[in-house]
């Protein structure tokens, strides 16, 4: 399971301590489609976030998190959450979102430990929110189901942190299962697992250049998509297809290219699911390549470094296709390879990528035993 829940310890002093765990994810295909109510195909990565929680009397919350090799501390009062612009916003956002939905909590003490790379487009934020919600659910008997947990986690991030994210990351952290991709319709939240063909392996490389979701271009892209939908007379770009090509091309630039990315990307997700289910590896690889081209040329969310990392990957023996993954402007790439070649491909990308400059400090995320 990508998310799990449990009770640790038998002794009296630890009998009230609960924990929640949720994994990061790599999005195989379907980028910038979730806030357009389209399709996505994330898969959990082995790295996860673990939150251990003990209930307290009163309203004080104290949280510690091990990040960058040291312990960070934060404290706030339930019912008096105030945005601070730091990592504690993700914790406060969760208690804020629960309060908005009528759940009442007392204070608590929490310890966070996460192996998900931060700001790498692999969803460390959703792993944290979902792991915390799982621990809170158990501690306070909230009876939350996995979809509700994802929705609360998304709300924490959009309404409190102020990052206008779609629901993909939180659904993956809450519902994803290790070893299986999750095909999700972000409009209806219908979802189903997609098994990867045995002959396929994945490589994920963190470029070392962190992205920033809460600000800037991500927000601009969202607004451009909403404006495109408005001009096309639909609720969301999900409602537009290739048959509307002429009307898409008539949008004022750059909206024509933005809409074109979303429409073609939604179609690529459907085709990628079909390719995986029929074990058509070369088709799957070609779809990753096309997705990258569209993100780079039409959606303008790649960077020269990310483009070069993707090019480097494609030159490696055994590679079927590659693309940037996550919101863009840094973050990670995902590479599909033939079985038996992933470890060599990962080492080759790392070796070439580390000489690339431009701020790149690539590290291997998957295969995790090489990372
Ligand atoms: P990502 O792609 O990793 O989700 P985001 O910008 O969405 O990137 O979220 C990263 C932010 O989430 C961090 O800057 C930090 O505020 C918070 N975060 C993630 N993991 C942790 C952690 N283990 N402990 C504390 N805060 C965390
Ligand atoms: Mg995030």
């Amino acid at each position: 399971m990508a998310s799990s829940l449990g009770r640790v310890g038998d002794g009296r002093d630890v009998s009230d301590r609960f924990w929640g765990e949720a994994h990061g994810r790599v999005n195989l295909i379907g980028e910038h489609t979730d806030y357009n109510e389209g399709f996505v195909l994330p898969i959990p990565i082995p790295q996860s976030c673990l939150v251990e929680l003990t209930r307290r009397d009163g309203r004080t919350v104290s949280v510690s998190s091990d990040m960058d090799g040291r312990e960070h501390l934060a404290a706030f009062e339930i019912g008096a959450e105030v945005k601070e612009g730091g990592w504690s916003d993700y914790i406060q956002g969760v208690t804020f979102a629960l309060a908005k939905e009528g759940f009442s909590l007392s204070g608590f003490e929490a310890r966070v430990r996460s192996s998900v790379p931060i700001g790498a487009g692999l969803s460390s934020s959703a792993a944290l929110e979902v792991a915390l919600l799982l621990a809170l659910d158990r501690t306070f008997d909230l009876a939350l189901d996995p979809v509700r947990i994802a929705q609360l986690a998304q709300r924490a991030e959009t309404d409190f942190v102020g990052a206008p994210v779609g629901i993909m990351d939180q659904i993956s952290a809450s519902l994803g299962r290790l070893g299986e991709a999750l095909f999700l319709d972000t409009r209806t939240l219908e979802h189903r697992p997609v098994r990867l063909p045995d002959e396929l392996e994945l490589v994920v490389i963190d470029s070392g250049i962190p992205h920033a979701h809460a600000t800037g271009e991500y927000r601009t892209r969202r607004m451009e998509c909403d404006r495109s939908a408005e001009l096309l007379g639909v609720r969301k770009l999900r409602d537009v297809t290739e048959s509307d090509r002429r009307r898409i091309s008539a949008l004022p630039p750059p909206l024509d290219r933005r809409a074109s990315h979303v429409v073609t990307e939604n179609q690529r997700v459907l085709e990628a699911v079909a390719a995986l289910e029929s074990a058509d590896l070369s088709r799957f690889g070609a779809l990753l390549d096309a997705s990258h081209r569209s993100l780079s040329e039409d959606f303008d969310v790649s960077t020269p470094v990310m483009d070069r990392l993707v090019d480097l990957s494609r030159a490696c023996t055994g590679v079927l296709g590659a693309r940037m993954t996550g919101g863009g402007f840094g973050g990670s790439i995902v590479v599909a390879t033939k079985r038996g070649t992933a470890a060599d491909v990962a080492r080759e990308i790392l070796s070439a990528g580390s000489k690339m400059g431009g701020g790149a400090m690539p590290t291997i995320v998957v295969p995790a035993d090489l990372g």
Side-chain angles (χ1 to χ4, degrees):
M1 287 288 289
S3 55
S4 48
L5 186 69
R7 190 170 179 148
V8 289
D10 322 293
R12 196 162 168 261
D13 57 334
V14 291
S15 63
D16 290 330
R17 197 188 319 158
F18 294 91
W19 56 271
E21 182 183 17
H23 287 252
R25 60 100 190 98
V26 61
N27 190 23
L28 295 179
I29 195 159
E31 216 64 80
H32 289 273
T33 47
D34 64 347
Y35 55 81
N36 290 297
E37 299 187 354
F39 307 115
V40 293
L41 189 66
I43 184 168
I45 54 173
Q47 291 84 350
S48 66
C49 180
L50 189 74
V51 175
E52 269 179 27
L53 205 140
T54 314
R55 183 182 191 137
R56 258 191 186 171
D57 290 336
R59 312 197 66 76
T60 304
V61 175
S62 316
V63 191
S64 70
S65 176
D66 296 330
M67 279 186 291
D68 322 316
R70 68 182 183 90
E71 196 182 27
H72 298 250
L73 301 172
F76 64 95
E77 300 282 307
I78 294 280
E81 289 86 353
V82 181
K83 194 176 158 175
E84 289 175 347
W87 67 273
S88 78
D89 289 352
Y90 291 83
I91 312 288
Q92 296 194 76
V94 164
T95 57
F96 171 87
L98 281 167
K100 281 271 175 244
E101 303 255 327
F103 293 100
S104 82
L105 307 177
S106 71
F108 57 86
E109 209 171 295
R111 173 150 188 242
V112 179
R113 274 166 298 160
S114 179
S115 53
V116 184
I118 292 178
L122 302 172
S123 205
S124 68
S125 59
L128 172 60
E129 294 146 8
V130 169
L132 175 61
L133 276 158
L134 286 166
L136 288 169
D137 179 50
R138 186 68 182 271
T139 307
F140 294 97
D141 292 321
L142 305 178
L144 302 171
D145 65 63
V147 170
R148 187 106 192 260
I149 285 182
Q151 288 168 328
L152 283 159
Q154 184 200 18
R155 192 160 182 190
E157 201 151 337
T158 55
D159 294 8
F160 194 85
V161 176
V165 294
I167 198 163
M168 163 173 63
D169 299 354
Q170 291 79 7
I171 288 274
S172 177
S174 181
L175 283 153
R177 288 195 297 247
L178 280 176
E180 282 177 359
L182 188 74
F183 172 45
L184 170 70
D185 178 337
T186 63
R187 169 166 282 172
T188 62
L189 299 190
E190 270 177 72
H191 53 87
R192 70 180 161 85
V194 176
R195 224 180 59 78
L196 300 190
D198 292 338
E199 313 81 68
L200 178 73
E201 280 188 294
L202 296 174
V203 171
V204 179
I205 305 281
D206 173 5
S207 69
I209 302 173
H211 68 79
H213 260 181
T215 50
E217 297 286 341
Y218 187 91
R219 193 179 292 278
T220 307
R221 291 299 175 281
R222 263 197 92 130
M223 279 164 24
E224 288 169 342
C225 288
D226 288 345
R227 179 72 186 134
S228 303
E230 204 181 349
L231 290 172
L232 290 165
V234 292
R235 194 168 101 102
K236 289 280 176 188
L237 284 179
R238 153 69 179 274
D239 301 303
V240 185
T241 63
E242 277 289 359
S243 60
D244 300 297
R245 172 55 62 195
R246 277 184 48 205
R247 294 202 308 132
I248 296 169
S249 305
L251 287 170
L255 302 188
D256 52 348
R257 290 185 293 118
R258 306 294 189 251
S260 180
H261 165 71
V262 175
V263 170
T264 56
E265 185 77 350
N266 272 327
Q267 184 58 31
R268 279 187 289 271
V269 178
L270 300 178
E271 287 179 33
V273 170
L276 289 177
E277 289 179 338
S278 60
D280 187 345
L281 298 196
S282 55
R283 180 72 192 135
F284 180 68
L287 289 162
L288 296 195
D289 289 346
S291 170
H292 185 79
R293 216 173 306 120
S294 179
L295 286 160
S296 181
E297 292 170 13
D298 285 342
F299 218 62
D300 285 326
V301 292
S302 188
T303 62
V305 168
M306 301 305 283
D307 288 346
R308 278 171 60 204
L309 273 175
V310 165
D311 285 345
L312 269 176
S313 314
R314 290 195 190 126
C316 299
T317 308
V319 167
L320 301 157
R323 68 176 201 92
M324 54 150 278
T325 182
F329 305 104
S332 301
I333 61 163
V334 58
V335 185
T337 76
K338 290 187 189 142
R339 175 145 305 276
T341 62
D344 287 341
V345 166
R347 287 194 198 95
E348 205 175 319
I349 301 171
L350 194 66
S351 147
S354 51
K355 295 175 203 127
M356 222 169 60
M361 286 182 293
T363 52
I364 300 168
V365 178
V366 175
D369 46 5
L370 294 180

